[in-house]
Amino acid sequence: MKRFFSNLGTFFSKITWFLRRKYNQLKSVVTSYLGQAFSVVTKKDLRRAKKVIQQDYIKDFYDIKDYNIDIRFDLNLDEKRLEIDSEREQIKSDSKATNEQLLTLKETDLKAFEAIEELQKKENTRLNVIFEERLILAVELEKKIRNIEFEKEKQIRKISVDKNVYEDEIEVIATESSKKIDALRREYYQASKESALNNKPFEAQTDLTKFLLRGIRVEKAKKCLPESRRSREIKDKARQIAKNTLQALLYLTPVLIFLSIFTFYPIINALRLVVYENYDDRTGIYSGFTLFGNFKKVLTDANFIVPGKYVKSSAMINTLLIVGITVPVTIAISLLISVFLNSIKPLSNLFQTVFFLPYITNTIAVGLIFAYMFQTDGGLFNRFLEIFNIDGGRWVQHGAPYWKAMFVLMLFATWNGLAFKIMVFLSAIQGIDKQYYQAASIDATPRFKQFRRITAPLISPTILYIVITSVIGAFKTYSSVIAIFGNRGRPPGADYHLKTIVFYIYDYFDHSGKMPEAAAASIVLFGIILVMTLFQMQVSKKRVHY
């Protein structure tokens, strides 16, 4: 049997390896073709070609014969940039005197002035012709290089399909591709040099023409200089930030869409509805606006905060009781169970599964089971009490007292909230370094002291998270009441109710024209939860150890 499971594991490992390999191959193909398409659409070849011809002009400007030199690395660009900037400043400072000479020449010798202007135009035309010829050559070069790289990746993918080990073949393919690219670059450099030789710079006959032609070439060189290292680092950093931001937005888009629809829009809509007076949700007609009128109606309602003459309970009191009792009890029990589960080694996975089951069980179905367990006649809980000759009485049926019904509701809420908290606490406890406990055991530290001095401080951020989410969840209690007591929120014939604030809000949905009051109640609940959360965060600054 052991051999069978070993072979089965090996078989599934091979299948997993095969599928992963095929997935990586498919991913490589898709990425390669998408990259090729992206290069065409964004005109990547043209952008690279412009950088190449700008470097070629810098080589012409400094009379560098070897076109294989990469000026980005083989020249001190910062020094060259300072030289060009200094020369530009000198030209600008001398331009006033030069303009005066040109004006004088225009008045005294118009033909000479026109000849100088024509020479300037010819120089600009010469430079433009060189740039256009080189641009055509450089674009063709970049296209060929891109195709060579694409074919190289294609050949590597083909080899990877046929063989498991192919490092030598990849090296051969990479070497051949590099040789082809080097040959193409040499051809381009030769053609670029010929273009410069065929369009030689004009010789200046006078100091004035020499100064003007030099100004044109310096301005062109300033534009063609590659960006400085500092500028490149800033751009790379900005590009990386933009890339990370776009990636984050891409990953967050589905969540933001859901939050916008189910969180932000309801809050904004509630703020809109709360100012309407006598609003009819069927027609959208309202009689006027009010700032605090709907809040006053909610806060003075006998079912909301202070019980009225004919009602012995309120939504606020019920909710605060549930929050004040079930939250600490649930957290304490779940933490205790988590510690015990962490110390149990045999069948630990089975116990974790058993304790997690309530989390994935339908709340309404479980509530019906609880209601059946606490029936007066035949209920499991009353039968248990009969063993000790105790009459359980009524819990959830007609004539059940308020505190008994509330006990059942709290018991259900406590049991229903254990599963998630146990799993979170257990994960946090299992993440604690075992060396702390080993050191404590060497010092013969009692278990309770280990828990108080090691476990509790190290999982305090998790405890804070559980406390905050538990308080929020307890304030939003609704389905538990429905599951046990139905839509009326109370046992049959009772002069009290067990409705929570959320139950109270949902009650307004059944009455036309009560949407503003429901919105006001929801904002009150939102405010209470917000204040409680901020208070817990403030208290946690001294109690939580990160």
Side-chain angles (χ1 to χ4, degrees):
M1 184 61 70
K2 186 176 180 180
R3 186 175 182 181
F4 169 76
F5 281 111
S6 175
N7 293 335
L8 188 65
T10 304
F11 173 73
F12 280 112
S13 298
K14 289 181 178 179
I15 290 178
T16 305
W17 175 83
F18 176 77
L19 292 175
R20 188 184 295 116
R21 183 179 178 186
K22 290 299 178 184
Y23 166 76
N24 290 331
Q25 290 170 356
L26 178 63
K27 182 181 176 181
S28 176
V29 172
V30 172
T31 303
S32 180
Y33 278 97
L34 284 177
Q36 190 82 341
F38 181 79
S39 299
V40 174
V41 172
T42 59
K43 297 182 179 180
K44 190 174 181 180
D45 299 334
L46 180 62
R47 287 186 280 115
R48 285 186 170 181
K50 286 181 179 179
K51 291 182 180 180
V52 171
I53 63 174
Q54 287 172 351
Q55 291 187 38
D56 288 349
Y57 178 77
I58 296 298
K59 294 172 187 176
D60 294 340
F61 184 79
Y62 284 107
D63 196 23
I64 298 173
K65 303 300 182 181
D66 187 0
Y67 272 66
N68 292 314
I69 288 176
D70 192 332
I71 64 170
R72 296 174 299 174
F73 309 108
D74 298 328
L75 289 183
N76 189 341
L77 289 178
D78 292 333
E79 182 182 321
K80 300 299 180 185
R81 185 172 285 102
L82 288 174
E83 290 177 5
I84 291 176
D85 288 340
S86 175
E87 191 170 356
R88 285 179 74 236
E89 291 298 324
Q90 185 64 38
I91 290 171
K92 283 182 180 179
S93 64
D94 296 342
S95 60
K96 186 175 182 181
T98 305
N99 290 334
E100 290 177 357
Q101 290 183 31
L102 287 173
L103 288 173
T104 304
L105 187 64
K106 185 177 181 180
E107 292 172 356
T108 57
D109 192 349
L110 184 61
K111 188 175 288 186
F113 175 78
E114 290 176 348
I116 290 174
E117 280 193 331
E118 184 65 25
L119 185 61
Q120 286 179 303
K121 289 180 181 178
K122 286 182 179 179
E123 179 63 16
N124 283 318
T125 303
R126 181 187 76 84
L127 293 176
N128 290 334
V129 167
I130 293 174
F131 270 75
E132 288 173 2
E133 289 178 355
R134 284 176 170 173
L135 183 62
I136 294 171
L137 295 170
V139 169
E140 190 65 27
L141 169 69
E142 294 299 330
K143 285 182 179 178
K144 290 179 179 178
I145 290 175
R146 175 164 53 83
N147 290 331
I148 289 172
E149 293 288 346
F150 181 75
E151 287 298 323
K152 181 182 76 172
E153 293 177 1
K154 196 173 179 181
Q155 290 177 12
I156 291 173
R157 284 197 305 272
K158 187 177 179 182
I159 293 172
S160 67
V161 172
D162 299 332
K163 298 181 180 180
N164 295 333
V165 181
Y166 42 86
E167 286 82 359
D168 295 338
E169 290 84 348
I170 289 177
E171 189 175 349
V172 171
I173 293 171
T175 303
E176 291 178 355
S177 299
S178 299
K179 288 180 179 178
K180 291 179 182 178
I181 292 172
D182 290 341
L184 289 173
R185 291 191 188 280
R186 284 194 296 272
E187 290 179 10
Y188 165 77
Y189 292 144
Q190 186 62 35
S192 178
K193 191 183 295 184
E194 289 176 1
S195 176
L197 292 173
N198 294 334
N199 298 277
K200 291 183 178 181
F202 296 100
E203 294 292 337
Q205 302 299 323
T206 63
D207 292 338
L208 180 60
T209 54
K210 184 178 181 181
F211 176 81
L212 293 172
L213 293 179
R214 184 64 181 176
I216 293 171
R217 293 164 187 166
V218 168
E219 284 299 322
K220 200 73 172 178
K222 175 63 177 176
K223 293 178 182 178
C224 292
L225 265 178
E227 58 189 357
S228 64
R229 182 179 299 175
R230 174 65 178 166
S231 175
R232 189 161 58 250
E233 287 176 355
I234 293 172
K235 283 186 177 181
D236 290 341
K237 187 175 180 180
R239 193 180 294 114
Q240 188 63 35
I241 292 172
K243 182 181 177 182
N244 293 339
T245 304
L246 288 174
Q247 284 182 345
L249 288 175
L250 180 64
Y251 293 134
L252 289 174
T253 297
V255 177
L256 291 175
I257 291 172
F258 277 100
L259 285 175
S260 300
I261 296 173
F262 299 109
T263 301
F264 302 141
Y265 171 72
I267 293 173
I268 295 170
N269 195 42
L271 294 172
R272 177 182 68 88
L273 290 172
V274 79
V275 299
Y276 291 156
E277 213 169 31
N278 300 320
Y279 175 76
D280 189 345
D281 52 282
R282 294 172 298 183
T283 61
I285 298 173
Y286 51 92
S287 61
F289 296 96
T290 178
L291 190 59
F292 300 109
N294 291 312
F295 289 105
K296 185 178 179 181
K297 289 179 184 178
V298 170
L299 296 175
T300 56
D301 190 342
N303 289 318
F304 191 71
I305 296 181
V306 181
K309 184 177 181 181
Y310 302 103
V311 183
K312 293 183 178 179
S313 61
S314 69
M316 181 67 73
I317 292 174
N318 294 334
T319 305
L320 291 177
L321 282 172
I322 292 171
V323 174
I325 295 175
T326 63
V327 170
V329 170
T330 309
I331 292 174
I333 294 173
S334 59
L335 185 55
L336 186 64
I337 293 174
S338 301
V339 172
F340 285 147
L341 283 177
N342 187 55
S343 62
I344 297 173
K345 300 304 178 184
L347 302 176
S348 59
N349 293 332
L350 175 62
F351 286 118
Q352 290 177 25
T353 305
V354 170
F355 279 104
F356 190 69
L357 282 177
Y359 187 71
I360 59 175
T361 306
N362 184 274
T363 305
I364 302 298
V366 177
L368 293 173
I369 294 172
F370 259 77
Y372 179 77
M373 287 171 59
F374 283 91
Q375 280 185 347
T376 306
D377 299 322
L380 186 62
F381 192 72
N382 277 351
R383 286 188 176 182
F384 173 74
L385 293 177
E386 286 175 3
I387 299 174
F388 305 97
N389 294 321
I390 299 174
D391 183 15
R394 301 176 184 273
W395 296 90
V396 296
Q397 293 177 317
H398 188 279
Y402 173 77
W403 288 105
K404 280 192 172 183
M406 179 58 76
F407 170 79
V408 176
L409 178 59
M410 289 182 179
L411 184 64
F412 172 69
T414 302
W415 183 84
N416 199 42
L418 286 176
F420 175 73
K421 298 177 182 62
I422 289 171
M423 291 299 105
V424 174
F425 278 138
L426 185 60
S427 299
I429 292 170
Q430 289 176 344
I432 298 174
D433 194 341
K434 304 301 180 185
Q435 292 181 358
Y436 295 116
Y437 296 107
Q438 291 171 1
S441 299
I442 292 171
D443 294 336
T445 307
R447 287 294 182 90
F448 179 73
K449 196 171 183 180
Q450 287 184 24
F451 173 80
R452 192 163 56 89
R453 296 293 187 180
I454 299 175
T455 307
L458 291 177
I459 67 168
S460 55
T462 306
I463 295 174
L464 173 65
Y465 164 75
I466 289 295
V467 169
I468 292 175
T469 54
S470 299
V471 169
I472 294 172
F475 267 109
K476 297 193 296 183
T477 300
Y478 172 71
S479 57
S480 303
V481 184
I482 289 288
I484 297 175
F485 299 103
N487 293 330
R488 297 179 63 85
R490 62 183 180 183
D495 57 354
Y496 60 86
H497 65 76
L498 296 166
K499 296 178 181 179
T500 58
I501 297 177
V502 175
F503 203 125
Y504 178 87
I505 295 169
Y506 273 104
D507 267 356
Y508 276 121
F509 291 146
D510 294 333
H511 301 87
S512 180
K514 294 292 186 179
M515 290 292 286
E517 287 91 332
S522 66
I523 292 173
V524 170
L525 176 61
F526 174 77
I528 294 171
I529 293 175
L530 180 62
V531 170
M532 290 293 293
T533 304
L534 293 176
F535 173 74
Q536 292 171 90
M537 295 296 291
Q538 191 66 29
V539 171
S540 70
K541 290 181 179 179
K542 296 181 179 179
R543 301 290 182 182
V544 178
H545 308 278
Y546 292 98

